[in-house]
Structure formats: C-alpha cells, structure tokens
Amino acid sequence: SWGTRLDEALNATIVLQQADGSYNPTPGSCSSRYLNYMTAMVNHSYIRLYEEYRQDARIPGAVKRAGDYLWNTQWIPASKAFKYSGMQCDFGGPAPAADINGFFVTTYGFIYKQTGDAAYKTIGETVFNATVTGSYLYGTKQFTETYHSTYRYFSMR
C-alpha cells in the first residue's frame, strides 16, 4: 500500500540526518544528494507527509534541525541567497545561488507554524523576499525552482 511505502521512505531517509541538521553522512564528500536545495526538497516531502498523510512526531524536529542548519551555515546575508553547496564540488560550490531560494521558503513557514516562534516567520519573509528579488526566471528549471512550493508558504504564516 502507499501508506506502507511512505512509512518506509520516511524511515529510510530520516535516519540520514546528522545531529547538526545536515544530510551529508560523509563530511567533505561531494554528492548531488547533499546539495542544499536537496535538503529543502526533503523538507518539502516531509511537510507534505506530515500535512497530508500522517503527523509523524519525528518530522517537525527533522525539518527544524535542517532549517536551522541551512540558515546558520548556508545562508549568505550579503547575497540574500543560500549556497548551492556547502563545499566545492565539480557540479557546484559554496557560491550563492539565488535561483534556488524558492525551495527553502516552506521550511521556515512550517517551522513557524509548528513552533509559533516569530524568528522563523522573519526568516521565511527574508527568504521569500530574496526569492522575489533575486530569482533568475529565464528557463523552465529556474521557474520551477522558484515557484514549486513557495505558494504553500502563505498558508503557513
């Protein structure tokens, strides 16, 4: 059944999160699985599971740990963007990538909705505004990165 498969997927992925909120079990290694926007996409999936399938108690903590990790270590305030990757890789590095900001917005809306901590609403607003002002919309990939889930943010704040 779909429920069984969803539970299996959650169980298989949630154990990969490190104590600091990241998902790279091999620090210093490059893999497309550990790019910052991938963490945001995992959070998006967790949020959808939580809201549409089952309110698994592990999900809010996992999303919050990942959100804190991303904000505290991967956000570049001067550029108003998240790093593409936390390390230099052949396919991307720690340079700011404003075109992926849209992936992160729902993470902070969900954390705010779960905790009521206004700091996460402020972060969400900061990231959303940076998405609007810094997006690069000259391709279907970039358009999707910007608008894939940002609309959901508004129901969470």
Side-chain angles (χ1 to χ4, degrees):
S1 77
W2 279 106
T4 300
R5 293 191 187 269
L6 289 172
D7 290 334
E8 289 171 355
L10 175 62
N11 291 334
T13 58
I14 208 156
V15 298
L16 297 174
Q17 189 179 48
Q18 304 301 294
D20 68 357
S22 70
Y23 282 93
N24 191 349
T26 312
S29 70
C30 287
S31 170
S32 62
R33 296 178 297 174
Y34 310 120
L35 300 175
N36 289 323
Y37 76 91
M38 295 290 190
T39 298
M41 291 174 71
V42 168
N43 280 349
H44 178 76
S45 296
Y46 287 167
I47 293 165
R48 298 278 311 265
L49 278 169
Y50 190 85
E51 292 181 338
E52 299 175 27
Y53 169 58
R54 182 169 54 85
Q55 293 186 351
D56 188 295
R58 299 172 294 176
I59 291 174
V63 172
K64 184 179 181 304
R65 282 188 302 278
D68 289 345
Y69 169 78
L70 290 165
W71 184 252
N72 294 327
T73 68
Q74 304 301 299
W75 177 254
I76 304 171
S79 300
K80 297 181 181 174
F82 286 94
K83 297 174 186 176
Y84 189 79
S85 174
M87 64 196 78
Q88 186 61 49
C89 301
D90 292 340
F91 44 81
D99 61 320
I100 63 172
N101 281 346
F103 279 126
F104 300 93
V105 176
T106 55
T107 291
Y108 299 102
F110 180 78
I111 297 168
Y112 171 67
K113 184 177 178 182
Q114 295 301 308
T115 66
D117 185 340
Y120 291 101
K121 183 177 180 184
T122 300
I123 294 169
E125 295 294 314
T126 299
V127 174
F128 180 77
N129 289 333
T131 300
V132 171
T133 60
S135 293
Y136 174 83
L137 300 176
Y138 298 103
T140 55
K141 176 182 179 281
Q142 289 76 21
F143 184 89
T144 301
E145 289 170 345
T146 300
Y147 295 112
H148 175 260
S149 62
T150 53
Y151 72 94
R152 299 185 77 239
Y153 171 70
F154 296 104
S155 69
M156 297 177 183
R157 63 184 179 116

